[in-house]
Amino acid sequence: LDVLSLHSIAVGVGTDGGDLDGEDVFSSTAPYMASVRGSRAFLLEPGRRLLLRTFDEARPKSLTVLLISSLKDMALFLRDNEAIFVDKVKEVVIMGGADVAARPRGLPGTPARH
């Protein structure tokens, strides 16, 4: 966002998304990401705090939640803040993808195509 001069857009630091190996395999593929050791990283707000602040400040049914990576952080927020989520969210947009080989047992056998 800094490269695009969009400095006013809040950015938070989320969880690892549930990585079981503790290995960051994403950062090296995203040269636009700020270094975790850089001075800018110290200015970033924890993601859960940013979510709560954003939801608290929003008007009813005014938020579009766009999920383009791990769903873990939003799932935890929804679990802990269901009433405010229902009150403030107009729509949820999820960028999908399916790893058929990694699908837990019990889920439908055909991944979504839309």
Side-chain angles (χ1 to χ4, degrees):
L1 296 174
D2 288 346
V3 172
L4 299 172
S5 297
L6 298 173
H7 307 287
S8 64
I9 296 176
V11 175
V13 178
T15 65
D16 62 5
D19 175 51
L20 300 177
D21 298 325
E23 181 181 348
D24 175 12
V25 295
F26 176 74
S27 295
S28 64
T29 66
Y32 52 84
M33 297 287 290
S35 166
V36 296
R37 292 177 185 79
S39 60
R40 182 85 167 103
F42 292 106
L43 301 174
L44 299 177
E45 187 173 6
R48 300 272 306 274
R49 185 182 320 149
L50 174 60
L51 283 170
L52 187 57
R53 183 170 56 79
T54 301
F55 274 73
D56 280 342
E57 295 171 359
R59 294 179 319 278
K61 300 297 182 203
S62 65
L63 295 177
T64 296
V65 176
L66 174 63
L67 301 166
I68 58 172
S69 59
S70 168
L71 305 180
K72 180 179 180 179
D73 294 310
M74 187 52 69
L76 293 173
F77 181 83
L78 175 57
R79 180 196 67 193
D80 297 340
N81 303 280
E82 182 178 351
I84 192 172
F85 186 93
V86 170
D87 182 49
K88 303 295 179 100
V89 173
K90 177 177 74 172
E91 63 184 336
V92 176
V93 179
I94 300 173
M95 179 182 76
D99 183 349
V100 177
R103 183 186 311 113
R105 291 180 190 202
L107 291 180
T110 306
R113 301 273 189 242
H114 305 286

